[in-house]
Amino acid sequence: MSGAVDTGVAIRTNRVTRTFIYLFLLLFALFYLLPLAVMLINSVKPLSEITGGNMMALPDVWTFDPWREAWSSAQIGVQPTGLRPYFINSILIVVPAVAISTIMGALNGYVLTKWRFRGDTILFGMLLFSCFIPFQIVLIPMARVLGMIGLAGSVPGLILVHVVYGLGFTTLYFRNYYSAFPTELVRAAQIDGAGFFRIFYRILLPLSGPIIVVTIIWQFTNIWNDFLFGSSFAGQASQPMTVALNNLVQSSTGVKAYNVHFAGAILAALPTLIVYIVSGRFFVRGLMAGSVKG
């Protein structure tokens, strides 16, 4: 045996190459973050500084009044409610929709990999096909279904819409992840007398942390940023944050309150930004966890 030590590095680069790569990535990062920086700077400026053509400069006078107005007193439609009630609506939609679709996707992935049955590949193919259906195609059928079951224009109706549309993605993630698990673990548990749900909760679910994080990030981002379903199926009292932000901009008359609009846009993007900052490093790790067997 040789005395070489494997450091796990696939490709080695010299200092000049690394410096070039870092500068290249820094340039792209600055380009990507420039809109956010402009929004932040102008959200703490008086409107007079913005309309004076000074959008790129730091504020002469720092103020958080645009943030307070965007949150609690900005004109949304016909009422000066700010974004606060619609932020709460988005939370009420996102939390149960993410939880339900994640649990159901985990159960589907478990069944489709460890409890094979006739027609399971056809069923998985149909669920996979649902991932490629454009949003616009399901608007009319979904509206009819929501009307028939009495959930049109309500928060529970939006939860149902997002669970149904996201189920194909969550099933795909968990099915691919569980396919790398040794089936012998399930058979051994069956020999010991464990049933369907006991095997799921005691064996598979405790080892599913990485893919659960992936699913939560994916579903949370899609549902929170959704505009089409929210504008199509929500009533006036159940509109999510994205629809309210659009109404905030469209409701402005006379001089546009750009500082309030910038503050509202950041408030709308803040939850997804926090999710990625806190758990984004687990996203790629979770995607790769079930991609290689052995």
Side-chain angles (χ1 to χ4, degrees), residues 7 10 38 70 75 80 85 137-138 168 183 186 188 192 223 229 239 242 279:
T7 61
V38 172
Q75 188 81 20
I137 292 180
V138 303
T183 307
V186 176
D192 291 337
I223 297 172
F229 287 159
Q239 290 178 348
T242 51
S279 56

Side-chain angles (χ1 to χ4, degrees), residues 60-289:
D60 293 330
V61 178
W62 295 77
T63 176
F64 288 97
D65 289 339
W67 287 77
R68 285 189 286 267
E69 183 177 348
W71 178 250
S72 60
S73 62
Q75 188 81 20
I76 308 293
V78 296
Q79 296 293 332
T81 59
L83 294 172
R84 178 171 52 189
Y86 305 98
F87 185 92
I88 296 174
N89 284 343
S90 289
I91 293 293
L92 294 176
I93 294 169
V94 166
V95 173
V98 170
I100 295 172
S101 60
T102 300
I103 293 173
M104 293 184 66
L107 284 170
N108 287 345
Y110 167 50
V111 171
L112 291 171
T113 53
K114 306 306 178 188
W115 296 78
R116 306 302 296 272
F117 55 91
R118 178 177 293 183
D120 60 336
T121 55
I122 297 176
L123 177 61
F124 176 66
M126 294 174 64
L127 287 169
L128 187 61
F129 177 73
S130 68
C131 298
F132 302 97
I133 298 177
F135 283 18
Q136 294 81 356
I137 292 180
V138 303
L139 291 181
I140 295 178
M142 190 67 73
R144 301 225 10 177
V145 171
L146 292 177
M148 291 171 59
I149 62 179
L151 293 179
S154 66
V155 169
L158 285 172
I159 293 172
L160 177 62
V161 169
H162 288 296
V163 168
V164 170
Y165 198 85
L167 194 58
F169 292 98
T170 60
T171 299
L172 173 64
Y173 292 152
F174 280 98
R175 194 259 187 189
N176 290 346
Y177 186 80
Y178 289 153
S179 64
F181 275 50
T183 307
E184 289 75 13
L185 288 176
V186 176
R187 292 173 180 168
Q190 286 180 297
I191 294 173
D192 291 337
F196 177 87
F197 288 104
R198 190 177 183 87
I199 295 173
F200 177 69
Y201 286 115
R202 292 295 182 89
I203 298 178
L204 270 73
L205 201 58
L207 300 174
S208 303
I211 201 63
I212 289 176
V213 172
V214 169
T215 305
I216 289 176
I217 292 176
W218 175 267
Q219 281 292 87
F220 184 93
T221 304
N222 282 346
I223 297 172
W224 186 273
N225 292 335
D226 169 69
F227 176 80
L228 183 60
F229 287 159
S231 60
S232 300
F233 302 132
Q236 181 62 37
S238 60
Q239 290 178 348
M241 188 74 162
T242 51
V243 178
L245 180 63
N246 177 73
N247 293 339
L248 169 64
V249 177
Q250 298 299 328
S251 298
S252 300
T253 57
V255 178
K256 295 288 186 180
Y258 295 110
N259 50 356
V260 178
H261 298 170
F262 285 137
I266 296 173
L267 285 171
L270 199 58
T272 52
L273 182 62
I274 293 174
V275 167
Y276 271 103
I277 291 175
V278 172
S279 56
R281 61 194 178 99
F282 299 106
F283 188 76
V284 176
R285 186 185 308 174
L287 283 176
M288 297 298 295

